Every structure is written in structure tokens, then in C-alpha cells.
Amino acid sequence: MLKNRSFLLFIVAAGGILISISSAVPAQKPVLKISTKDEIAEDIKAVPCKNGDRLEAVKTLFKKMGAADSDMSVETQGSIHNLVVTKRGTSDEIVIIGAHYDKVSEGCGAIDNWTGITIIAHLFRTMNGTTPAKTYRFVAFDSEESGLKGSDAMAKAITKESRPNYCSMINFDSFGFTYPSTFSNGSSPKMVAVAKTLSAELKIPFADARIEGADADSSSFLARDIPAITFDGLGTDWQKYLHTSNDKVGNVNISSVFVGYSYALRYVGIVDAAACGEYRKK
């Protein structure tokens, strides 16, 4: 169940979707920077098509979104380089918001997964104007395409004793075709249920797909008993685009990415207001 909300609840309209952003500061209304569809389109178009350029490009994007150098760190384990951007809340309870930045050799990686990177960067920008109840770690994961190596490295580094302090992990992977849907292979049923309810409230379609043989960075956290969910914005013909030369900016429906960002704000607002153990197995 949701905690009793002792903080302000701000409602804004973005793309026809109501978004809730919480703040623990009752005396001062924060300045919310709600991204526009055009701003998101601009950052999608700036996608670097070479793997070697992507980590620096992610740093540049988060700085553009208002992240200070002191907010950012690169966690390195061997050849793995995960970028972590921290947004402090009023508690030490942690939510990880992630998207992988690497790509396969084919295509430009605009869909898979610069769309996810753009969503979490703009989500940081908006949340940076609030004081959430929980502390958020926005993570751009390395080497997802070669076996979830970046997320696995981060998840393994979380000690068993500290796992209860990690409330959940929310992952964004490949938008550009449809409304947000969930990937059941790597998602906690309770977090999927929240997404289904939210979609119904917003009167938008909802789908929870299981793709045999596929996986996502959320699975690395599920394996350590941390509730997690992966969102995507793929259609039924996604195989024509992902991991092919068709993965390019011209095939991204910007509206799908914008709605993904708008939906993410509302979903995170629900997670922020929930008890930290709300989505764990019981």
C-alpha cells in the first residue's frame, strides 16, 4: 500500500498524460522542467552511432539535463564502465533507474537503446527540481548487448545486507513504436501490476510480453531479490529493426519516446510514494 503522503503532489499535463511528481518540501514549490516532444527529438537525433563515443555522449546529455560533475561517477569493473547519476532524496532508500548505452555492431542504436538513455536523462532533469522521498541512481549500463555485463556488475556489488535498502529497479529499453509496455521476462509481477493499473487510469493500451530467449538489465537485479521492471515501446514487428541496419533515427517515432518519458514520471511518482518493500515477494 502507498505510504501516507506527507509531501506535496504536483500534477502537470504532458502529452495528454497526467504526471505526478512528489516533493518532501512543503513550504516551497519546486521548479519543474517538463521536457517537450521537440526537446526529446533533438536529443534522439544526437545519437552517436559508434560504441566508443557513447559513454561520453551520455555524460554530455546528463550535463545538458542539469547534472553537476559531483552528481556523476563512472563505476568501473574491469572493462565495464557504468555511468551513475545520483539524485538525493530525503531517505537512504534507493531506486535504480536504468538504460543501457551500448549497441550491437549493426545499425546506429537509436532505438536500442538511445531512446532509453534519452528517457532516463529527461526523467532526471524533471526530478532534479523536486526532493523525492527516495534516493535515485540513474544508471547508463555498459555491455548489455554482450550479456547484461554492466547491470550484473552493479547488482553483484550490492551486498546481501544492503539489499533491503534497494526498493526497486526500473529499466527502459527500446522505444519508438508504441505506448509503454512491460517485458515479463525481467519484471516483478507486483511492479507489472502497478504499470497495468496506471495504463488503465490513463486510458492507454497496455501489454506485458514474454519474449523467449530475450533478456534485459532488470534481470540482473531480480536475481539478487531486488524488485525490477523493464519498460519498452516496441511493436509486433520489432525484429525488423532491432539489431539490424534499420535501427536508425529515421525509424524512431518520437511520440513513443515522449509518451514513455511522460509515463515514467507518473510511474516513478507511484514508486516514490510506496513503502520500500511494497514490491517484494511475500
Side-chain angles (χ1 to χ4, degrees), residues 127-139:
M127 291 182 64
N128 204 31
T130 72
T131 306
K134 298 174 175 62
T135 290
Y136 288 82
R137 303 187 78 197
F138 293 82
V139 186

Side-chain angles (χ1 to χ4, degrees), residues 57-278:
V58 177
K59 292 180 185 178
T60 298
L61 178 57
F62 268 97
K63 287 183 179 180
K64 179 182 177 182
M65 295 296 106
D69 287 337
S70 58
D71 298 327
M72 298 193 297
S73 64
V74 176
E75 296 185 355
T76 300
Q77 295 188 36
S79 62
I80 302 300
H81 307 283
N82 294 327
L83 177 69
V84 180
V85 185
T86 301
K87 168 59 185 175
R88 296 292 310 174
T90 58
S91 76
D92 290 327
E93 295 176 342
I94 296 170
V95 174
I96 296 171
I97 297 180
H100 74 88
Y101 68 84
D102 63 307
K103 60 178 284 294
V104 297
S105 57
E106 296 84 0
C108 191
I111 301 166
D112 184 13
N113 183 34
W114 198 252
T115 57
I117 289 294
T118 300
I119 286 173
I120 70 168
H122 281 264
L123 183 57
F124 169 83
R125 179 197 195 197
T126 303
M127 291 182 64
N128 204 31
T130 72
T131 306
K134 298 174 175 62
T135 290
Y136 288 82
R137 303 187 78 197
F138 293 82
V139 186
F141 291 111
D142 191 5
S143 300
E144 186 268 356
E145 299 290 3
S146 57
L148 315 183
K149 292 179 181 178
S151 57
D152 189 58
M154 171 171 276
K156 283 181 176 178
I158 300 171
T159 65
K160 186 175 182 180
E161 293 72 23
S162 63
R163 285 178 195 168
N165 205 47
Y166 284 78
C167 308
S168 58
M169 185 271 182
I170 306 170
N171 187 51
F172 297 89
D173 194 340
S174 303
F175 282 73
F177 297 95
T178 65
Y179 288 99
S181 60
T182 54
F183 177 63
S184 61
N185 299 48
S187 298
S188 301
K190 289 183 178 181
M191 297 193 76
V192 172
V194 172
K196 183 177 181 180
T197 299
L198 176 58
S199 294
E201 290 175 355
L202 299 174
K203 295 180 172 56
I204 62 175
F206 174 79
D208 179 34
R210 173 173 290 276
I211 304 174
E212 296 303 325
D215 216 337
D217 283 319
S218 53
S219 295
S220 297
F221 297 89
L222 286 177
R224 275 83 184 176
D225 299 319
I226 297 172
I229 189 169
T230 286
F231 287 102
D232 67 73
L234 297 174
T236 56
D237 60 348
W238 62 271
Q239 290 173 302
K240 297 179 182 178
Y241 300 93
L242 266 62
H243 296 189
T244 76
S245 59
N246 290 322
D247 188 347
K248 54 189 179 181
V249 170
N251 287 327
V252 176
N253 182 334
I254 299 299
S255 293
S256 170
V257 187
F258 177 66
V259 171
Y261 152 78
S262 303
Y263 184 98
L265 286 171
R266 181 67 180 262
Y267 190 87
V268 171
I270 296 169
V271 170
D272 195 64
C276 191
E278 179 70 19

